[in-house]
Short mmCIF file of all heavy atoms in Angstrom, two decimals:
data_model
loop_
_atom_site.label_atom_id
_atom_site.label_comp_id
_atom_site.label_asym_id
_atom_site.label_seq_id
_atom_site.Cartn_x
_atom_site.Cartn_y
_atom_site.Cartn_z
N CYS K 213 15.38 -0.31 -2.71
CA CYS K 213 14.58 -0.25 -3.95
C CYS K 213 14.45 -1.66 -4.26
O CYS K 213 14.85 -2.56 -3.58
CB CYS K 213 15.25 0.63 -5.09
SG CYS K 213 17.05 0.29 -5.22
N GLY K 214 13.95 -1.98 -5.54
CA GLY K 214 13.66 -3.38 -5.95
C GLY K 214 14.13 -3.75 -7.22
O GLY K 214 14.67 -2.93 -8.05
N TRP K 215 14.08 -5.10 -7.54
CA TRP K 215 14.54 -5.57 -8.93
C TRP K 215 13.31 -5.18 -9.84
O TRP K 215 12.20 -4.68 -9.46
CB TRP K 215 14.51 -7.07 -8.92
CG TRP K 215 15.57 -7.66 -8.01
CD1 TRP K 215 16.61 -6.90 -7.34
CD2 TRP K 215 15.75 -9.01 -7.62
NE1 TRP K 215 17.42 -7.73 -6.66
CE2 TRP K 215 16.93 -9.06 -6.80
CE3 TRP K 215 15.17 -10.18 -7.89
CZ2 TRP K 215 17.47 -10.15 -6.14
CZ3 TRP K 215 15.66 -11.32 -7.45
CH2 TRP K 215 16.77 -11.41 -6.61
N LEU K 216 13.61 -5.34 -11.23
CA LEU K 216 12.70 -5.01 -12.15
C LEU K 216 11.76 -6.18 -12.50
O LEU K 216 10.59 -6.08 -12.95
CB LEU K 216 13.29 -4.51 -13.50
CG LEU K 216 12.33 -4.02 -14.60
CD1 LEU K 216 11.65 -2.74 -14.21
CD2 LEU K 216 13.30 -3.78 -15.82
N SER K 217 12.34 -7.41 -12.40
CA SER K 217 11.75 -8.61 -12.70
C SER K 217 12.13 -9.64 -11.74
O SER K 217 12.60 -9.29 -10.70
CB SER K 217 12.09 -9.06 -14.09
OG SER K 217 13.45 -9.35 -14.18
N ARG K 218 12.09 -10.87 -12.12
CA ARG K 218 12.61 -11.95 -11.11
C ARG K 218 14.10 -12.07 -11.22
O ARG K 218 14.69 -12.84 -10.43
CB ARG K 218 12.00 -13.33 -11.59
CG ARG K 218 10.54 -13.43 -11.40
CD ARG K 218 9.76 -14.81 -11.45
NE ARG K 218 8.38 -14.56 -11.45
CZ ARG K 218 7.68 -14.20 -10.49
NH1 ARG K 218 8.14 -14.05 -9.25
NH2 ARG K 218 6.39 -13.94 -10.58
N LYS K 219 14.66 -11.28 -12.12
CA LYS K 219 16.14 -11.27 -12.28
C LYS K 219 16.73 -10.27 -11.32
O LYS K 219 16.15 -9.11 -11.19
CB LYS K 219 16.50 -10.96 -13.67
CG LYS K 219 17.51 -11.59 -14.30
CD LYS K 219 17.62 -11.34 -15.74
CE LYS K 219 19.06 -11.40 -16.20
NZ LYS K 219 19.46 -10.67 -17.42
N PRO K 220 17.94 -10.59 -10.72
CA PRO K 220 18.58 -9.62 -9.78
C PRO K 220 18.89 -8.31 -10.69
O PRO K 220 19.20 -8.46 -11.84
CB PRO K 220 19.73 -10.26 -9.22
CG PRO K 220 19.62 -11.67 -9.55
CD PRO K 220 18.63 -11.84 -10.68
N ALA K 221 19.07 -7.21 -9.99
CA ALA K 221 19.35 -5.95 -10.69
C ALA K 221 20.28 -5.11 -9.88
O ALA K 221 20.36 -5.21 -8.63
CB ALA K 221 18.06 -5.16 -10.86
N LEU K 222 21.04 -4.16 -10.61
CA LEU K 222 21.94 -3.21 -10.03
C LEU K 222 21.20 -1.89 -10.45
O LEU K 222 20.94 -1.74 -11.66
CB LEU K 222 23.24 -3.27 -10.39
CG LEU K 222 24.04 -4.61 -10.21
CD1 LEU K 222 25.49 -4.36 -10.76
CD2 LEU K 222 24.14 -4.89 -8.80
N THR K 223 20.98 -0.97 -9.50
CA THR K 223 20.23 0.33 -9.90
C THR K 223 21.38 1.48 -10.06
O THR K 223 22.20 1.63 -9.11
CB THR K 223 19.22 0.64 -8.77
OG1 THR K 223 18.51 -0.54 -8.63
CG2 THR K 223 18.38 1.86 -9.26
N TYR K 224 21.28 2.12 -11.16
CA TYR K 224 22.33 3.12 -11.30
C TYR K 224 21.72 4.57 -11.50
O TYR K 224 22.55 5.57 -11.83
CB TYR K 224 23.38 2.85 -12.46
CG TYR K 224 22.57 2.79 -13.90
CD1 TYR K 224 22.60 3.91 -14.67
CD2 TYR K 224 22.00 1.62 -14.31
CE1 TYR K 224 21.98 3.96 -15.86
CE2 TYR K 224 21.33 1.59 -15.49
CZ TYR K 224 21.40 2.81 -16.37
OH TYR K 224 20.84 2.90 -17.56
N GLY K 225 20.38 4.69 -11.31
CA GLY K 225 19.95 6.12 -11.43
C GLY K 225 18.56 6.22 -10.89
O GLY K 225 17.77 5.10 -10.75
N THR K 226 18.23 7.46 -10.29
CA THR K 226 16.76 7.55 -9.85
C THR K 226 16.38 8.97 -10.50
O THR K 226 17.24 9.77 -10.75
CB THR K 226 16.82 7.71 -8.34
OG1 THR K 226 17.70 8.74 -7.86
CG2 THR K 226 17.17 6.46 -7.72
#
Side-chain angles (χ1 to χ4, degrees):
C213 44
W215 299 349
L216 183 68
S217 65
R218 297 194 191 283
K219 216 171 152 203
L222 307 177
T223 308
Y224 67 94
T226 58

